[in-house]
Amino acid sequence: MTSAELAEMRDALVTLRRSIESLRTADGESPYVRRLMNDLDRFQLDMEDIRGTRFRVPAAHGAAGAREIIAVHDRPYHHQPWQDADDEGIGGHRR
């Protein structure tokens, strides 16, 4: 691919990202919007592989997809909230 074709493809990805962000704003974080964003990320990675260099398609600033980091401590949890819970993957407790 020529540099002009790569630049055109990059511009198309930027336009597509804006369109999907608009869709996310209008429709919320639905499974199909998440799938479109994942597909777009894969396209971007494939394009970087073709070019052989790393450049990023800019994401929207303050996008709805920004994730908050929640710290989870390593201390043992109090057993009371979990007393009626089943162990996932091994079935329920026999009482």
Side-chain angles (χ1 to χ4, degrees), residues 24-57:
R24 177 186 283 169
T25 300
D27 291 345
E29 189 69 23
S30 66
Y32 71 91
V33 171
R34 284 195 309 268
R35 190 170 46 247
L36 287 171
M37 288 303 290
N38 287 339
D39 290 344
L40 179 61
D41 291 340
R42 276 195 358 253
F43 290 149
Q44 178 182 342
L45 291 172
D46 290 345
M47 187 176 158
E48 290 169 357
D49 288 342
I50 289 171
R51 184 171 175 169
T53 60
R54 305 293 288 181
F55 70 92
R56 307 298 299 174
V57 175

Side-chain angles (χ1 to χ4, degrees), residues 52-73:
T53 60
R54 305 293 288 181
F55 70 92
R56 307 298 299 174
V57 175
H61 296 290
R67 299 222 165 37
E68 177 185 354
I69 296 176
I70 300 173
V72 178
H73 59 79

